Amino acid sequence: MSETRVHGTDLKTAHQDLHSEQGALRGEHPGRSRNPVIKVADLAWLEFEKPDLDRAEVFARDFGFGVAARTERELWLRGTFAGSPCMVIRRGPARRFIGPAFRAAERADLDRLARATGSDVREADVPGGGGAVDLLDPSGFPVRVVHCGEPLPALPEQQPLLLNFGARQRRTNAVQRPPREPSRIQRLGHVVLETRVFSQALDWYLDTLGMIVSDFLFLDGQRDRGPTMAFIRCDLGGVPADHHTLAMHLGPGTRYVHSAYQVTDLDSLAAGGEYLKERGYRRSWGIGRHIQGSQLFDYWRDPDRFMLEHFADGDLFCDDVEPGWAPLSTSGLAQWGPPATRDFLGASPSPQRIRDVVQALRGDNEMDPARLLGLLKAATS
């Protein structure tokens, strides 16, 4: 993967024509740990608290989730794929993101992780049972690593449409009429988090959970200070894994940014978006295609202002693909689609955002005036 070829004055690396024109410079972060404690297999589910579970369930069904279990205190949401649920929402006094749960490849990984972190293995409160280890990452997010005993069975799929491509005419004497209905969620894809201690948090996920970096982004003119965003995947060896299961970026807050859920294809994504619009929900940004990860995307806000993404056709990497490096910019977020909105970028100066900036600049973390100015410049570039 790191072979270099010279054609005249042209220097080409394995990153060109792969996923990034730039690779790491000498001495930059390698994007993986030499000896991680375990290697998680996937993102299992996300945990939230909300005051109104009835309202949360209405949006969940409109967005395309199925309901795996419902009690007075909890709502478990799922996709059509077999495996674990996608999300649990617990009744609480305020709307808040609690943290992610990752799936251990083997039950023995929980024991290894517990010994290395001084934690305990406890019974997981998930439909079907299983074991769990509860940790805290450097940002302060609770992180749960689980091994589920009884996976959920698969549900009927939303079938992809048969498409004609130029001379490849596979559909004749039949019309295309995608139904105006909710996109049927297949699975949870990734979660994006903002942190004031990006470097510490990045190394923790690589060292503790064995994840590896697909792409680094850096601020213009500040590459020598290291990356400020990372798209991180699970290390499944030669088995292809999502380009990113977790993405993190440096910022003035410690917060959930969005989570992404796979649907069948572009028609499912677009028709499901029309259904959401007709139901009165607010699109945050889309439809378009990303650069890092290549996903087709469409972002929405739920009634509690959490951002969720429908996506399809994402990149899959094996463990031998090296991290790419690119400058962070708003224009670099998409290959095509409408310009990124202020809502998606979190650029509206809310009182909470102003408090985050003040606290970050006063606190002991990785935010400073140069970093803040670099992030503001990236948001308008």
Side-chain angles (χ1 to χ4, degrees), residues 1-54:
M1 293 300 298
S2 58
E3 178 185 353
T4 300
R5 304 183 305 279
V6 179
H7 301 279
T9 58
D10 231 8
L11 184 67
K12 292 188 177 181
T13 72
H15 289 279
Q16 292 179 317
D17 300 322
L18 179 60
H19 69 109
S20 174
E21 293 186 358
Q22 300 183 48
L25 302 177
R26 186 181 297 275
E28 288 187 317
H29 200 298
R32 63 186 68 205
S33 174
R34 289 183 179 273
N35 188 29
V37 178
I38 64 168
K39 293 183 178 182
V40 293
D42 204 353
L43 189 60
W45 63 78
L46 303 177
E47 302 194 4
F48 293 83
E49 281 187 1
K50 295 183 177 183
D52 190 338
L53 292 190
D54 292 333

Side-chain angles (χ1 to χ4, degrees), residues 10-131:
D10 231 8
L11 184 67
K12 292 188 177 181
T13 72
H15 289 279
Q16 292 179 317
D17 300 322
L18 179 60
H19 69 109
S20 174
E21 293 186 358
Q22 300 183 48
L25 302 177
R26 186 181 297 275
E28 288 187 317
H29 200 298
R32 63 186 68 205
S33 174
R34 289 183 179 273
N35 188 29
V37 178
I38 64 168
K39 293 183 178 182
V40 293
D42 204 353
L43 189 60
W45 63 78
L46 303 177
E47 302 194 4
F48 293 83
E49 281 187 1
K50 295 183 177 183
D52 190 338
L53 292 190
D54 292 333
R55 185 174 70 171
E57 182 177 346
V58 169
F59 172 81
R61 292 184 183 278
D62 288 341
F63 194 73
F65 289 106
V67 173
R70 170 72 196 266
T71 69
E72 186 65 26
R73 304 293 305 172
E74 291 183 341
L75 172 65
W76 288 89
L77 304 175
R78 62 161 299 171
T80 58
F81 285 3
S84 62
C86 296
M87 183 189 298
V88 56
I89 305 173
R90 296 187 172 90
R91 190 184 304 279
R95 48 170 293 280
R96 69 184 185 106
F97 172 67
I98 300 172
F102 291 87
R103 179 169 61 86
E106 300 177 356
R107 176 60 176 78
D109 285 341
L110 297 185
D111 298 318
R112 187 178 304 112
L113 183 62
R115 287 194 302 269
T117 59
S119 306
D120 297 316
V121 180
R122 65 168 186 82
E123 186 69 22
D125 52 346
V126 56

Side-chain angles (χ1 to χ4, degrees), residues 190-244:
H190 62 260
V191 63
V192 181
L193 304 175
E194 179 180 304
T195 174
R196 299 172 183 172
V197 290
F198 171 81
S199 297
Q200 294 179 50
L202 170 66
D203 288 343
W204 186 87
Y205 282 96
L206 306 191
D207 293 337
T208 309
L209 304 187
M211 306 182 81
I212 53 181
V213 175
S214 298
D215 280 288
F216 282 120
L217 301 184
F218 56 88
L219 294 177
D220 185 39
Q222 298 187 38
R223 182 167 180 170
D224 60 328
R225 298 190 63 185
T228 54
M229 185 166 188
F231 295 88
I232 311 165
R233 69 186 185 276
C234 296
D235 182 355
L236 305 182
V239 177
D242 286 333
H243 172 272
H244 56 284

Side-chain angles (χ1 to χ4, degrees), residues 312-325:
D313 191 35
D315 291 337
L316 300 170
F317 286 177
C318 296
D319 67 338
D320 58 353
V321 177
E322 303 165 355
W325 287 71

Side-chain angles (χ1 to χ4, degrees), residues 175-195:
V175 300
Q176 295 283 41
R177 299 292 186 270
R180 192 68 60 86
E181 63 183 11
S183 303
R184 202 170 301 172
I185 301 297
Q186 295 175 325
R187 65 184 179 95
L188 167 62
H190 62 260
V191 63
V192 181
L193 304 175
E194 179 180 304
T195 174

Side-chain angles (χ1 to χ4, degrees), residues 246-296:
L246 167 68
M248 289 191 303
H249 68 80
L250 178 66
T254 300
R255 67 185 183 103
Y256 163 95
V257 179
H258 75 260
S259 52
Y261 304 86
Q262 181 176 290
V263 299
T264 301
D265 58 12
L266 178 59
D267 278 284
S268 170
L269 181 146
E274 290 301 302
Y275 180 86
L276 286 169
K277 187 168 64 175
E278 290 172 353
R279 298 279 288 172
Y281 299 109
R282 176 182 172 188
R283 174 180 273 121
S284 181
W285 181 35
I287 300 171
R289 186 181 281 277
H290 281 306
I291 293 180
Q292 279 79 23
S294 304
Q295 300 94 339
L296 295 163

